[in-house]
Amino acid sequence: MVNAAEESRRLQDQVAWITGAGSGIGLAGAQALAEAGAIVVLSGRRAPLLQAAAEGIVRAGGRAEVEVLDVCDAAAVAATAQRILARHGGRIDILVNSAGTNTPRRFWRDQSPEGWRQVIATNLDSLFYTTHAVLPAMRARHRGLVINISSWAGVHHPKLTGPAYNGSKHAVTAMTETLNMEDGIHGIRACVICPAEVATPILDTRPQPPSAEERARMLQPQDLGQAIRFVAELPAHACVNQLIISPTWNRMYIDSL
C-alpha cells in the first residue's frame, strides 16, 4: 500500500525541464512538479525572475535549478539540454514546453511579418528545438514525457487570438500527437494541454486586456500546474494525449451567445 508521503512524492528525483518558467503556467508547473519530488530546471530569458522563482521553490522544500535561455535560439537550446543531461546522468525525464507569446497587433489588418515570425518562433519553433534536443536521451532510456502547452486556440478557432497564435497553437496540437505516433514504441509519452483563458501576463498583450474581475473568473496558473502534475504522475503505461480545460465561466462560449 502506498502511504501519504509516497503519494505526494511520486516524481521523486525525476528531472523536469520547464520553459517559460519565470511566470504564469510555466512557473506553476515547475512549482507543482517540485512539490511532487522532481528536480525542476527553470528556463526563460529573464534571469532575475527565474532566480526568484527557483529560490521560492527551494524555500518551499523543493529542488530547482536555473538555465537562462532564449528558446528561439536552436543552438542555445541544444547546448542547454546537453548541460542538463550532463549534470543529471543523461536524464531529462519530463519536458514542459510552456514558453509562449502573442502581439497586440495580431489581426490580418495589422499584423506585420515581424510580429508573425515572433509568435511562430516562440510558440512553435522553440517546441521543436527543445523536444528535438531531449528525444535521443529519452529514447536511450526508453522513457520520457513531453508536455506541450497549447491553447483553446489549438483546438478551436477564436477570433480574438489572431492568425499567428491560432496557427501556431494548432500546429503544436498536431505536432504533439506525432510524438505519440513515432515514439510511443520507445516508451515516450506526449500530452498537449489546451487551456482556454488563463489569468497570466500574456493577457496584457491583448488589444483590450481583460479587467481584474474578468481575470478572477478565468483559470488560474495553479490550475494548470495541477494539470501538469496530474499528467506527469500517471504511470508510464498511461498517456493523456490531449487535455482541454476551460473556466466554468467560459467567455469563449458566453461571447458567442
Side-chain angles (χ1 to χ4, degrees):
M1 180 177 293
V2 178
N3 63 39
E6 290 172 335
E7 183 79 13
S8 67
R9 307 289 284 184
R10 283 183 173 173
L11 303 180
Q12 189 67 36
D13 298 329
Q14 290 196 32
V15 180
W17 183 20
I18 303 100
T19 69
S23 64
I25 295 171
L27 174 57
Q31 292 167 335
L33 294 176
E35 288 171 3
I39 303 165
V40 295
V41 183
L42 282 59
S43 279
R45 291 178 300 171
R46 294 173 288 180
L49 204 62
L50 292 171
Q51 194 58 48
E55 290 170 359
I57 289 170
V58 171
R59 283 196 303 271
R63 290 172 290 175
E65 302 171 359
V66 169
E67 284 282 354
V68 179
L69 173 66
D70 178 356
V71 291
C72 298
D73 184 333
V77 169
T80 299
Q82 288 305 309
R83 285 196 299 272
I84 298 168
L85 291 166
R87 285 200 305 272
H88 295 286
R91 291 178 53 198
I92 294 177
D93 301 285
I94 303 166
L95 170 65
V96 180
N97 283 309
S98 187
T101 193
N102 206 346
T103 62
R105 299 171 63 85
R106 61 181 59 179
F107 302 114
W108 282 107
R109 65 179 179 268
D110 60 9
Q111 186 156 69
S112 66
E114 294 75 21
W116 172 275
R117 286 194 294 269
Q118 176 191 353
V119 173
I120 298 299
T122 304
N123 292 2
L124 179 60
D125 293 347
S126 71
L127 276 69
F128 170 79
Y129 300 149
T130 55
T131 306
H132 186 261
V134 304
L135 276 179
M138 288 183 174
R139 290 189 188 118
R141 299 183 62 245
H142 214 72
R143 185 182 183 94
L145 172 63
V146 177
I147 300 175
N148 290 327
I149 305 302
S150 179
S151 169
W152 186 265
V155 288
H156 300 288
H157 303 282
K159 181 180 178 181
L160 65 85
T161 40
Y165 191 89
N166 287 18
S168 66
K169 292 301 188 177
H170 271 270
V172 167
T173 300
M175 183 182 75
T176 305
E177 190 57 15
T178 65
L179 284 169
N180 291 321
M181 292 174 184
E182 292 188 35
D183 284 295
I185 59 172
H186 299 131
I188 297 168
R189 300 172 290 156
C191 175
V192 60
I193 299 180
C194 302
E197 292 183 301
V198 187
T200 68
I202 196 173
L203 296 178
D204 295 328
T205 67
R206 287 188 179 174
Q208 293 182 327
S211 68
E213 182 181 9
E214 289 169 327
R215 296 184 197 216
R217 283 177 154 169
M218 295 177 183
L219 294 169
Q220 301 303 306
Q222 292 73 22
D223 301 326
L224 274 297
Q226 290 305 306
I228 290 167
R229 177 173 174 172
F230 162 73
V231 172
E233 287 188 322
L234 285 173
H237 67 265
C239 176
V240 178
N241 296 54
Q242 183 179 109
L243 179 60
I244 302 172
I245 180 171
S246 72
T248 304
W249 181 271
N250 188 352
R251 294 198 307 163
M252 302 299 177
Y253 290 150
I254 295 165
D255 288 350
S256 66
L257 295 179

